[in-house]
Amino acid sequence: MENATFSPVSRVAICGGTHGNEMTGMYVVREMQRQEADQTGSVSITTVISNPRAVEVCRRYTERDLNRCFTKALLSSPITDSTPYEVRRAQEINALLGPKESQEAVDLLCDLHNTTANMGMCLIFYSLDWLTLHIYKYIQSNMTSAPVRALLMSSPKSEAYSLESVAIEVGPQPNGVLRADIFNMAKEAVDHTIEWLHKFNSGSTFEEGEVEAYTVVKSVDYPRDPTTNEITATIHPELQDNDFKLLQPGDPMFLSFSGETVKYEGEDLHPLFINECAYYEKKIAFHLAKKITVTLPSISVKKD
Amino acid sequence: MSSFNSIVSLEEARRVAIFGGTHGNEMSGVTLVNLWVKNGAEIQRKGVETKPFITNPKAVEKCARYVDTDLNRAFTPENLSAPQGDNQPYEVQRAQEINGIFGPKGSPDAYDVIFDLHNTTSNMGCTLILESSKDHFNLQMMNYIKKAIAPSSCLVLLNEHPLLKYSTSRSIAKHPVGLEVGPQPQGVLRSNIFEAMRVILKHALDFIELFNEGMEFPSCTVEVFRVLERIDYPRDANGNIIAMVHPNLQDCDWEPLNPGDPMFQTFDGKTIRFQGSGTVYPTFINEAAYYEKQQAFVTTRRESLVASSIRKV
């Protein structure tokens, strides 16, 4: 593959507290603000607490999930008295860091999240972007404290409902809890990202190579009572905490409250976001993904 | 007061309640109680009326710990004797209602036993919470449960501390029993945690049935962890936390913490060490709900309590 070149990445935003009860991002941002890390070498860093009201009450959101408010439609909708706080906030953030898909937008936006699922460190992408995938490759080869994986979401960038170029999702961590091991991992990933940007901006070439990624194919809901809609089973102990481990037909999937095992039927796929707290209301017990290999070209900064 | 050698005679435990949803986001109890409200066969025992009950339905609806104030701190004498009215916080009103149904607290009409089901984000495993070192019925029950689930473990936390003790939902009963199982995130239902709680309750109800049938439980020794003090996070002048539970302490509930051991880690990686005068046994390490209560963990010391022999009257 031919070497791909990109403009320097001079403006990066690090966001935390997009969900007000996912503690790691909030504290990474606060620590970066305390250390006054707004300009390091060739990179200017903007740090943002995305949903301060939700952070204040330690809830995922106050009226609507902020991380679903960045669609074109919501970003351009007129603001009235009844507009939910998070829709307003999305427009503010878009003005501060965007506008989305314009020339004025920051070059890279990293949004820090936690999950209650046992996913270790997972970078979430919205498109096959060579630059961010190289960052992923760099983080993966430099971090040994936990597995680092890539998740590719399939909606086109303009319709992406969320904030980021890349989300850094770390788990497992309960809502409202700040674990030192998880914090240290996330901070390390952010530090490696900034390090990579310096190297890139100063002319390093990052060699071609292959990376593995997961792409979500479908989601599975909990078994529910048809009249009350209440869940009637929980993730089976053999599936619980086994994110990314291949799930095959016949494998235990759910354990009902009356003791029956519900087995998986379908093609061999990799489960993830297993038993994520916020997904009960979205009717998702876990996602299923297939593993793909992406070949990256070597990349370097465009020289004038 | 009875000596080691005499048998304590106690009334049969005829009325038993199982509380779930005292904290609306602690899912094992919510799920179990809802299950048993629909079909209580599993919790029936001869000679016992067992009532499953959701204590904080509004909090359960919101999947939040509480709506206005923590229900599990609301059963104070002041709250329970205050005039009822809509201007009270929701949980105070609720405490008064619950006291009416299962109490009154301190009276002969109060329920005999209340099990209050809780989860924690701390790595505490199965924990039984005892409010009085002189409750021989509860001590015998806890001894029975521990033996029944062996080799799995179930530890006993004794909170009799005059300042740190609080007015729990279960405190209405003559014999209050807290069940705390973790680690489980708030809002999440884990199968292993759910089943563990279910098994403990099964044994607890078996004990009550045996006692009511006339079985005598000989004197025994029960190891407990007695609450000593609450340790808060280091904070700045604005009250923001400036360090996290140290990775060496995180998840190490019930393991000895010695003076000089790592306790907290600052955001830039420095270690803050435990400065106590002796070894303690920390628990409730990094419980989500306790950040606002200024508690990173509690310290305990190990004690052996002697439970008198008991038999029904």
Side-chain angles (χ1 to χ4, degrees), chain B residues 74-84 92 95-97 99 105 171-172:
Chain B
F75 288 76
T76 59
E78 300 73 40
N79 283 346
L80 295 181
S81 58
Q84 310 209 350
V92 172
Q96 292 169 344
E97 275 166 41
N99 193 41
K105 183 166 163 175
S171 65
I172 300 176

Side-chain angles (χ1 to χ4, degrees), chain A residues 27 31 34 59 116 174-180 183-184 225 234-235 237 240-241 255 257 275 277 280, chain B residues 31 35 38 62-64 121 186-191 194 198 241 244-245 250-251 265 267-268 286 288 291:
Chain A
Y27 281 92
E31 178 63 8
R34 188 189 72 86
R59 301 279 291 172
T116 56
N175 293 341
V177 165
L178 180 66
R179 286 182 65 103
F183 174 89
N184 291 335
D225 178 303
T234 180
I235 301 281
Q240 178 71 54
D241 301 334
L255 182 62
F257 301 145
N275 211 347
C277 175
Y280 282 74
Chain B
T31 308
L35 215 65
K38 265 171 59 181
K62 283 180 69 171
C63 197
T121 57
Q186 297 168 341
V188 165
L189 186 67
R190 286 182 66 102
S191 180
F194 175 81
R198 199 174 193 173
I241 69 170
M244 313 169 275
V245 170
Q250 178 68 52
D251 302 333
Q265 186 180 75
F267 298 116
D268 53 2
N286 209 346
Y291 283 68

Side-chain angles (χ1 to χ4, degrees), chain B residues 117-130:
Chain B
L117 307 183
H118 288 267
N119 292 121
T120 174
T121 57
S122 305
N123 188 26
M124 287 167 73
C126 295
T127 303
L128 294 163
I129 306 183
L130 185 63

